[in-house]
Amino acid sequence: MRIGQWTLPNNVLVAPMAGVTDRPFRQLCKKLGAGYAVSEMAASNPKLWDSVKTSRRLNHDGEIAPISVQIAGADPAMMAEAAAFNAGKGARIIDINMGCPVKKVCNVASGSALLRHEDLIARILDAVVAACAPLDVPVTLKTRTGWDRDSRNALRVAKLAENAGISALTLHGRTRADLYTGEAEYDTIRAVKAELTIPVIANGDIDSPAKAKHVLDYTGADAVMIGRAAQGRPWIFREIDHYLRTGETLAPPSYGEMRELLLEHLDDHYRFYGEHTGVRTARKHIGWYLDGLPGADSFCARMNLIDNTRDQWRAVSDWFDIISRDGSPNPAPVAEALLAA
């Protein structure tokens, strides 16, 4: 799997997710077998570049190469400027967002709203590729199958991308109108792959090794991109990579390994965000990791009241210690006592 001059170690990739794929999460996913990860989307508006949120998204210290930054916007010149700016901050691949379906993005004609304006898509692609070419930075595109099911235009958009010099295309098997409901379809991805010479990456509802293999086999895609299925389950990348290479299913992580991975994630998360923001933004990650485990709902309800990183980290550590030591089917009462202490 290649993107421009970059050869990736495998074809199991991390999807950009707003509020999720920050540097600590990307690093952990790469450590656990992801061949590549794209940052959460960064605004193309220069007025926002000095904000705390954007500054964090531009922080790639120590990140495993290649660093990929996703940009979003609707103005070709502004998008080109944003691409060059991020390249100057360390991005080695620029990804263009034409897939985000949320209202606050689409309401300003960004993300998947661009699928209704193919002429504007062409101008944005041309501008960003032209800005990145002298910097030897390849450009990729992430998009959806169309605005709605009556206006699927992914193949036309894909042709525009290839003609503009885009190095790889990621296609989510839903329209903008679908949001994240229903099931992703792969017929459109298959049709696009059959017509393109650049790499095509399949995205949408890929949540297991067997599903990843099915999607690759059915679509002919060059890679799969995992999004929501990796939330609280960063080891999914090694599971899929191992299955694709060997046909064997890896055993799930033990409680002990899950504990170590989550605590490592929290340590990095706290360092990255600081005390005030770190303890609050970590709650969703903890909830994802513990989802479905015995007593997790009760524990998380109490844990979410903790307002400092030290006690939050200790509560998680103690909770896993209880499960690992006692194998209790319901460790919640003991964990709640620990939280109250």
Side-chain angles (χ1 to χ4, degrees), residues 276-292:
H276 179 80
T277 301
V279 70
R280 288 159 177 78
T281 53
R283 290 168 182 161
K284 62 190 175 190
H285 289 283
I286 296 169
W288 288 330
Y289 275 89
L290 272 55
D291 185 40

Side-chain angles (χ1 to χ4, degrees), residues 73-93:
D75 180 86
M78 197 175 288
M79 288 284 280
E81 184 181 3
F85 174 77
N86 279 281
K89 291 291 186 177
R92 294 299 170 257
I93 298 172

Side-chain angles (χ1 to χ4, degrees), residues 15-26 38-42 53 56-57 70 97 100 102 104 180 231-232 265 269 272-273 277-278 280-286 288:
M17 294 176 281
V20 180
T21 50
D22 52 23
R23 192 191 70 195
F25 185 80
R26 296 194 304 271
V38 184
S39 76
E40 52 187 328
M41 98 187 135
K53 181 181 290 187
R56 286 200 186 102
R57 292 178 179 180
Q70 186 180 77
N97 181 317
C100 182
V102 301
K104 70 177 181 180
Y180 295 100
Q231 294 174 356
H265 189 176
H269 190 91
F272 187 71
Y273 285 100
T277 301
R280 288 159 177 78
T281 53
R283 290 168 182 161
K284 62 190 175 190
H285 289 283
I286 296 169
W288 288 330

Side-chain angles (χ1 to χ4, degrees), residues 18-328:
V20 180
T21 50
D22 52 23
R23 192 191 70 195
F25 185 80
R26 296 194 304 271
Q27 282 287 71
L28 182 58
C29 291
K30 289 177 179 179
K31 176 182 175 181
L32 291 174
Y36 172 71
V38 184
S39 76
E40 52 187 328
M41 98 187 135
S44 60
N45 188 341
K47 295 179 181 179
L48 302 176
W49 291 349
D50 290 330
S51 69
V52 172
K53 181 181 290 187
T54 299
S55 296
R56 286 200 186 102
R57 292 178 179 180
L58 296 177
N59 185 331
H60 313 294
D61 294 346
E63 186 168 352
I64 299 169
I67 294 164
S68 176
V69 173
Q70 186 180 77
I71 58 174
D75 180 86
M78 197 175 288
M79 288 284 280
E81 184 181 3
F85 174 77
N86 279 281
K89 291 291 186 177
R92 294 299 170 257
I93 298 172
I94 293 294
D95 185 63
I96 298 174
N97 181 317
M98 289 188 189
C100 182
V102 301
K103 286 184 178 180
K104 70 177 181 180
V105 174
C106 290
N107 285 346
V108 292
S110 296
S112 55
L114 290 167
L115 292 171
R116 294 182 294 180
H117 308 286
E118 292 179 22
D119 57 335
L120 179 56
I121 288 175
R123 287 188 283 124
I124 290 173
L125 296 174
D126 287 341
V128 174
V129 170
C132 290
L135 306 173
D136 199 24
V137 172
V139 180
T140 60
L141 172 66
K142 188 173 190 296
T143 188
R144 288 186 170 227
T145 59
W147 176 255
D148 57 35
R149 297 185 186 186
D150 294 325
S151 58
R152 288 193 176 104
N153 59 345
L155 185 54
R156 293 198 302 273
V157 170
K159 286 291 190 180
L160 289 174
E162 186 169 56
N163 292 337
I166 292 295
S167 294
L169 172 77
T170 300
L171 187 55
H172 184 126
R174 286 184 173 87
T175 68
R176 188 272 168 183
D178 292 326
L179 300 176
Y180 295 100
T181 62
E183 295 182 358
E185 56 92 5
Y186 306 111
D187 290 334
T188 304
I189 300 175
R190 183 179 187 176
V192 167
K193 173 56 187 174
E195 296 292 327
L196 296 193
T197 59
I198 60 174
V200 173
I201 302 160
N203 176 226
D205 292 353
I206 301 169
D207 57 5
S208 70
K211 185 65 172 290
K213 186 177 189 308
H214 166 72
V215 171
L216 288 171
D217 289 346
Y218 183 77
T219 64
D222 301 276
V224 289
M225 182 169 276
I226 315 300
R228 289 170 294 162
Q231 294 174 356
R233 191 182 163 196
W235 49 84
I236 192 175
F237 299 99
R238 73 181 182 195
E239 292 176 341
I240 293 176
D241 179 49
H242 183 80
Y243 186 81
L244 294 178
R245 287 187 292 103
T246 69
E248 299 172 351
T249 302
L250 283 178
S254 65
Y255 286 148
E257 185 184 11
M258 289 176 63
R259 173 187 181 276
E260 293 306 312
L261 290 173
L262 176 51
L263 293 179
E264 175 188 339
H265 189 176
L266 290 177
D267 281 336
D268 199 13
H269 190 91
Y270 298 152
R271 287 192 296 268
F272 187 71
Y273 285 100
E275 177 73 21
H276 179 80
T277 301
V279 70
R280 288 159 177 78
T281 53
R283 290 168 182 161
K284 62 190 175 190
H285 289 283
I286 296 169
W288 288 330
Y289 275 89
L290 272 55
D291 185 40
L293 296 183
D297 290 345
S298 177
F299 170 75
C300 286
R302 298 290 303 278
M303 182 275 302
N304 285 342
L305 301 177
I306 297 175
D307 63 359
N308 68 86
T309 58
R310 182 194 61 191
D311 289 345
Q312 186 184 69
W313 191 98
R314 182 179 62 85
V316 171
S317 176
D318 290 345
W319 190 82
F320 269 106
D321 283 344
I322 294 166
I323 297 182
S324 300
R325 182 182 65 242
D326 301 335
S328 170

